[in-house]
Amino acid sequence: MTLAGEQAGEGPAVVLLHGLTATRRYVLMGARLLERSGYRVISYDARGHGSSTPAPAPGEYAYEHLIADLEAVLDALGVQRAILVGASMGAHTAVRLALRAPERVLALCLITPAYDPAAALDPRALAAWDALARGLREDGVEGFVRAYDLDAVPPRWRETVARVLRQRLSAHEHPLAVADALEATPRSQPFERLAELTAISAPALVVASRDESDPGHPLHVGARYAQTIPHARLVVEDAGASPIAWQGGALSRLLLELGARVEDVGASAAGGGPGGPAPGHT
């Protein structure tokens, strides 16, 4: 199996992890501010997505496989520690690495996390994922779009969401592998209890979206992540505004602020001061 990716810039490593059915472009949406600001930005397509080849078996798209891929990328590029920036599936993957190997995580930016242990393996949700997989297998991109619940998206955003769905589904070289991932990934668990997130010591930023624009990534889930991770800050767009998660430039500016927090923590540790910023939620 081969993972397709790219890197640009020099400095502390920032690794971008995209969501299910997306590609590496759909994290910062092509924004280049980070590499122009002294960061080494690494992005790759998850197994079976974009230009990456399919997993060895149809069921091998669980979080245990995704975190193994992330660690393999870090090792191959000689990255000991990184700022992890993950959207949805990528956010869950980043959390799992922060729990399993905290020494490798400088900071976390979790964009629209949707995994809720209390609602894991809900039969209705799994049936919806299976319908998307079936639509993609039987009729390609248009089959996926028809199976997607666009009626749940407010009319204001519906055309935009439909256009983005078509764009990102058309970017996959192995759409049947994406269908496999649609069935396998939602049936795996990146962690078992939300309380596990209290063990994360790295500075964290949680970018959530209001339910009016993105009901598939509930605001209350992102808020609970931010409340549970000790050094986390929650950011949500203003009412009626476009989600920050859709704006690469806005996300990049928030990441520069997160990078500054990492530097402050490092300076404090070097000077014998307190070991991190006080918890904050805004």
Side-chain angles (χ1 to χ4, degrees):
M1 188 186 70
T2 301
L3 298 176
E6 60 189 308
Q7 59 178 322
E10 297 181 357
V14 177
V15 180
L16 309 182
L17 305 165
H18 65 77
L20 185 59
T21 78
T23 68
R24 64 184 186 268
R25 185 189 183 282
Y26 291 93
V27 180
L28 295 183
M29 317 304 170
R32 299 292 183 183
L33 178 60
L34 290 179
E35 54 255 47
R36 295 199 302 265
S37 302
Y39 288 91
R40 177 188 181 189
V41 180
I42 299 164
S43 61
Y44 65 94
D45 295 332
R47 53 174 58 200
H49 290 67
S51 299
S52 293
T53 57
E60 294 185 0
Y61 293 93
Y63 284 105
E64 63 188 90
H65 304 110
L66 298 176
I67 191 175
D69 290 344
L70 171 56
E71 290 182 303
V73 168
L74 294 176
D75 291 343
L77 297 178
V79 176
Q80 297 301 314
R81 305 182 74 197
I83 297 173
L84 302 182
V85 183
S88 194
M89 177 183 79
H92 312 149
T93 304
V95 166
R96 179 147 179 171
L97 183 65
L99 294 172
R100 171 170 152 174
E103 71 280 359
R104 305 206 73 170
V105 180
L106 280 171
L108 289 171
C109 177
L110 309 177
I111 304 166
T112 60
Y115 171 71
D116 181 356
L121 305 180
D122 175 67
R124 291 172 300 177
L126 294 178
W129 289 114
D130 291 346
L132 292 171
R134 186 165 53 252
L136 186 58
R137 282 198 183 96
E138 294 177 355
D139 201 17
V141 173
E142 291 307 313
F144 179 97
V145 173
R146 281 195 297 272
Y148 193 92
D149 188 11
L150 284 172
D151 289 340
V153 180
R156 177 183 177 187
W157 307 113
R158 199 169 294 160
E159 183 178 344
T160 298
V161 170
R163 182 177 69 253
V164 171
L165 285 176
R166 289 185 171 93
Q167 288 174 345
R168 74 184 199 180
L169 266 295
S170 298
H172 299 297
E173 295 182 8
H174 306 280
L176 296 182
V178 177
D180 291 338
L182 281 163
E183 294 173 336
T185 306
R187 287 177 165 82
S188 69
Q189 297 177 267
F191 51 90
E192 294 183 355
R193 296 176 298 107
L194 196 68
E196 294 176 49
L197 275 57
T198 60
I200 295 175
S201 59
L205 174 69
V206 180
V207 180
S209 298
R210 296 183 184 273
D211 295 345
E212 293 77 16
S213 56
D214 189 1
H217 298 88
L219 174 56
H220 79 270
V221 174
R224 289 185 67 198
Y225 277 54
Q227 291 163 1
T228 307
I229 298 172
H231 304 298
R233 175 189 174 208
L234 175 66
V235 178
V236 184
E237 77 274 5
D238 293 334
S242 176
I244 297 170
W246 300 356
Q247 304 175 51
L251 283 170
S252 297
R253 289 188 290 275
L254 288 169
L255 285 167
L256 290 181
E257 294 177 11
L258 180 62
R261 288 174 61 193
V262 172
E263 293 175 4
D264 289 344
V265 171
S268 259
H281 309 289
T282 60

